[in-house]
Amino acid sequence: MAKAAAAPEDAGAAAPKKGNKLLIIIIAVLVVVILGGAAAFFMLGGSHAEEGEDGHDEEAVAEEDHDAAAKEAKKAKLKKKKEAEAKGLPPVFVELDPFTVNLQPESAVDQYLQVKATLRVDEQPAADNLKSYMPEIRHRVLLLLSGKKASDLATPEGREALAEDIKHAVNAIVGEVPKNRKGEPEEPLGPVESVLFTSFIVQ
């Protein structure tokens, strides 16, 4: 009888031991899960950082490629010009019909600009091609001139800036307008090398 009574006491003592083991297992599993999550977080964070660095490197490479392409285009134009000079070929000019436009008002007195301009281009085929676009070229140049004020054109620097604006406007029509890595337009590339004013009157 004493032995039979002792059996339930042993069972009660064994239950807490099993409960302790279960608790230890649960804690161990939680620790493993937490450590695994932390490791995964650091690994993913590192990979994103590397991706960001790679992306930055790709942007830098793209910018370098773009700059290299622009330099190559300028070198090609310079080479073509030197070859033409070496062959004794004369420079090629395209004369534009005179422009007369009202300037932007700065006072009660109306002012206007009368200008004759000639385009210097890199080769004869480009000059022939310009004639096909002449209506559009004149339209763009007229808009450009009529947006100026007399004070904008009062100095040699102002007139040089206007010549550059006309060159870019024409090259944008007959050439191409490259874009930087942000998608913003840059200086147009085209056959027009310079714009020369043969008459320039502001009244």
Side-chain angles (χ1 to χ4, degrees):
M1 294 296 291
K3 287 182 181 179
E9 291 177 4
D10 293 341
K17 289 182 180 178
K18 287 182 180 178
N20 289 341
K21 286 182 181 179
L22 184 61
L23 182 62
I24 292 171
I25 291 171
I26 291 172
I27 291 172
V29 169
L30 286 175
V31 169
V32 169
V33 169
I34 290 170
L35 290 176
F41 174 78
F42 285 117
M43 288 177 65
L44 289 174
S47 66
H48 285 314
E50 289 174 4
E51 286 174 8
E53 290 172 3
D54 291 344
H56 180 69
D57 290 343
E58 287 174 6
E59 288 179 0
V61 168
E63 188 173 358
E64 288 174 6
D65 290 345
H66 179 272
D67 292 343
K71 287 179 182 177
E72 286 300 319
K74 289 180 180 177
K75 283 182 182 178
K77 287 191 73 172
L78 184 60
K79 182 179 178 183
K80 189 185 291 185
K81 185 177 179 180
K82 287 183 177 179
E83 286 175 354
E85 290 173 352
K87 292 176 183 177
L89 297 175
V92 182
F93 296 100
V94 177
E95 187 174 349
L96 301 178
D97 291 336
F99 295 91
T100 302
V101 298
N102 289 322
L103 295 171
Q104 291 295 308
E106 293 183 290
S107 64
V109 179
D110 290 338
Q111 291 180 293
Y112 71 90
L113 168 67
Q114 187 178 58
V115 62
K116 291 181 181 178
T118 300
L119 309 178
R120 179 170 180 167
V121 296
D122 55 7
E123 56 185 356
Q124 187 59 48
D128 297 334
N129 187 46
L130 278 177
K131 294 172 184 176
S132 303
Y133 290 91
M134 198 53 68
E136 187 176 357
I137 290 171
R138 286 191 61 80
H139 171 73
R140 293 277 184 91
V141 174
L142 277 169
L143 291 179
L144 182 60
L145 296 176
S146 62
K148 297 295 183 180
K149 298 176 182 177
S151 58
D152 297 333
L153 310 172
T155 62
E157 292 79 13
R159 296 178 185 187
E160 285 295 329
L162 176 61
E164 281 294 300
D165 290 343
I166 294 173
K167 181 181 84 169
H168 295 331
V170 177
N171 279 336
I173 295 170
V174 298
E176 60 177 316
V177 182
K179 294 184 178 180
N180 61 22
R181 59 191 178 88
K182 295 180 180 178
E184 300 166 339
E186 294 189 334
E187 179 181 320
L189 300 175
V192 179
E193 296 176 344
S194 60
V195 175
L196 310 170
F197 295 125
T198 55
S199 176
F200 202 99
I201 301 171
V202 177
Q203 286 187 341

